[in-house]
Amino acid sequence: MNVRVLTGIKPSGTPHLGNYVGAIRPTVRASRESGIDSYLFLADYHALISTHDPARVQRSTLEIAATWIACGLDPERVTFYRQSDIPEIPELTWLLACVCGKGLLNRAHAYKAAVDKNTAEGRDPDDGVTMGLFMYPVLMAADILMFNAHRVPVGRDQIQHIEMARDLASSFNHLYGPHFTLPEAVIDEQVATLPGLDGRKMSKSYDNVIPLFAPREQLRRLIMGIVTDSRAPGEPKATDGSAVFQLYQAFATAEETAAFARDFAAGIAWSEAKERLFERIDREIAPMRATYDELMAHPARVEAMLRAGAAKARAEATPFMARLRAAVGLRPLDTLATMVTAMGTATSWGTATASTAPAKAAPPVFKQYREADGRFYFKLTDAKGHVLLQSTGFDSPKDAGQAVARLKAEGWAACADLHGAVTAAAEADKIEAALARLR
Ligand code: TYM
């Protein structure tokens, strides 16, 4: 199976060098390797959290889509789409929200930063915090888990979000079986977080960005405006903490960077250092500018690419979502015919966790029920109703459900620790065959 690489960018402003270095460039490179399936998208639902300006969202969507293509993305080779064209993503967001502890989201950096700022300024802690901001990590987890991505190339600021996606995937898998791959963040160690004009992280929210496709003269002007210390020409300069140096490093080879560091130690003038930085960045960006400008002048072409990408993405998302819906119990009611059988004096407390196959296929069935002793049981029966497994009583329906989910996911032999919770069992191979069939 190919490695699945997925990443997204919010269309909430003009793409900048930080987006390019942190996400676009590594992802485009990876998308050209063999054995990689890439999923790249415009996170426009996420953009609605930070901007309420419809024209800006639309314009930025075009700019970021054109950027991906200008930076070398081949939409035929990858799956390139707009988040809001995939209705399965918000649907999955809800399923994940239902297994997500509120405490997990309370610890999200962006939410905590908003709360801390409000508190420091004497306002209500949640002043101005929308549910969109609070739920941001859940929507992002849905983006990633929808396509079972293995790797997610992002800037350092996003690591916590990927960890949360892993947490949500584990919680869901634990409850409903192994549906999701646990994703990993991929960070370009050399780059870390790219600083902006004022030395803080380059970010639309700090208004300190260098637009990726700024015309050449504007690019030079912006670079000349980067904040530095006041050391004069001839005075040695520290590379640590220098935005000029960090930006250079993100574009240059190791040898070029080492030479630049030597020039810092030898007291290069800031104006010359900035000129070198400008030339180095422009050398990489200039060849892509023409494609960008061409696409910006023809939005219909970009729209057609995104629609084709959405169709490709939904060909996977729609059947996967159907499987997830069935897993959580959002199932057609006619499948109940295969599950409900007489239970004597038992009190039925829920439907079985059987597959959603039609009745005529007569699959094996797990039945979960509550006995008069108040405890929760399950049994596995074959197509003819013969009992293959009968459990002892569990304290809660959740415990019984988790045992069933594990048996379904892992098989009988792999769940040796559950054998003690079973009072009757048919031959192991019959049980394994039934469980395999349910899977
Ligand atoms: P966004 O649009 O804020 O940033 C897009 C990507 O650019 C990286 N980045 C940076 N990298 C280095 N230095 C910087 N100064 C800098 N600024 C931004 C970000 O780390 C990010 O990788 N939440 C995401 C969008 C998203 C997403 C996803 C990403 C939504 N769903 C699923 C991956 C997987 C974001 O902040 O985008």
Side-chain angles (χ1 to χ4, degrees), residues 49-98:
I49 295 166
S50 49
T51 167
H52 295 141
D53 175 352
R56 181 171 176 175
V57 174
Q58 188 186 25
R59 163 97 191 163
S60 174
T61 302
L62 173 61
E63 287 176 344
I64 293 187
T67 298
W68 278 113
I69 307 290
C71 291
L73 191 80
D74 176 359
E76 297 292 319
R77 196 185 159 113
V78 305
T79 307
F80 178 54
Y81 55 97
R82 180 167 40 196
Q83 186 186 36
S84 65
D85 283 341
I86 318 294
E88 289 80 6
I89 291 176
E91 192 175 356
L92 177 55
T93 301
W94 183 251
L95 298 196
L96 296 175
C98 294

Side-chain angles (χ1 to χ4, degrees), residues 217-338:
E217 273 323 304
Q218 190 193 343
L219 180 64
R220 171 184 270 120
R221 226 178 319 113
L222 285 168
I223 289 177
M224 290 303 159
I226 295 173
V227 173
T228 60
D229 62 28
S230 55
R231 274 164 230 253
E235 268 188 81
K237 298 178 174 58
T239 53
D240 261 9
S242 160
V244 173
F245 188 81
Q246 282 174 45
L247 283 159
Y248 188 87
Q249 185 173 30
F251 284 85
T253 62
E255 295 76 50
E256 287 168 331
T257 305
F260 205 46
R262 283 196 296 278
D263 293 338
F264 266 54
I268 187 173
W270 281 123
S271 57
E272 193 195 334
K274 288 177 180 176
E275 189 61 35
R276 295 250 303 272
L277 171 63
F278 162 67
E279 289 299 345
R280 187 63 193 81
I281 294 181
D282 194 55
R283 176 141 60 95
E284 183 161 329
I285 304 302
M288 306 186 281
R289 247 190 228 117
T291 317
Y292 177 79
D293 291 342
E294 172 73 10
L295 289 170
M296 288 302 291
H298 296 96
R301 279 192 217 157
V302 179
E303 180 63 32
M305 284 179 204
L306 290 175
R307 290 205 187 168
K312 212 159 140 189
R314 290 199 73 197
E316 285 186 46
T318 308
F320 186 43
M321 197 60 221
R323 184 178 129 194
L324 297 174
R325 287 174 63 97
V328 299
L330 304 177
R331 302 171 185 158
L333 296 184
D334 50 6
T335 62
L336 268 176
T338 62

Side-chain angles (χ1 to χ4, degrees), residues 6-12 16 18-23 41 43 46 64 83 136 139-140 143-144 152-158 161-162 191-195 201-204:
L6 173 145
T7 201
I9 297 188
K10 281 191 305 254
S12 53
H16 55 75
N19 302 139
Y20 173 69
V21 163
F41 67 97
H46 278 106
I64 293 187
Q83 186 186 36
Y136 190 113
L139 177 57
M140 186 156 157
D143 292 330
I144 298 169
V152 186
V154 281
R156 222 167 258 289
D157 57 317
Q158 298 297 311
H161 289 149
I162 316 297
V191 166
T193 300
L194 213 65
K201 175 196 156 188
M202 188 178 291
S203 166
K204 295 155 213 166

Side-chain angles (χ1 to χ4, degrees), residues 124-188:
D124 181 87
D126 282 327
D127 190 52
V129 174
T130 62
M131 281 308 292
L133 175 68
F134 190 64
M135 288 279 289
Y136 190 113
V138 186
L139 177 57
M140 186 156 157
D143 292 330
I144 298 169
L145 303 181
M146 186 83 254
F147 297 99
N148 271 321
H150 299 101
R151 293 197 212 148
V152 186
V154 281
R156 222 167 258 289
D157 57 317
Q158 298 297 311
I159 296 179
Q160 189 194 36
H161 289 149
I162 316 297
E163 281 165 3
M164 288 184 169
R166 288 174 69 90
D167 287 346
L168 296 185
S170 300
S171 305
F172 192 97
N173 286 351
H174 185 66
L175 284 167
Y176 299 116
H179 296 283
F180 295 128
T181 304
L182 303 193
E184 275 178 30
V186 180
I187 311 286
D188 188 336

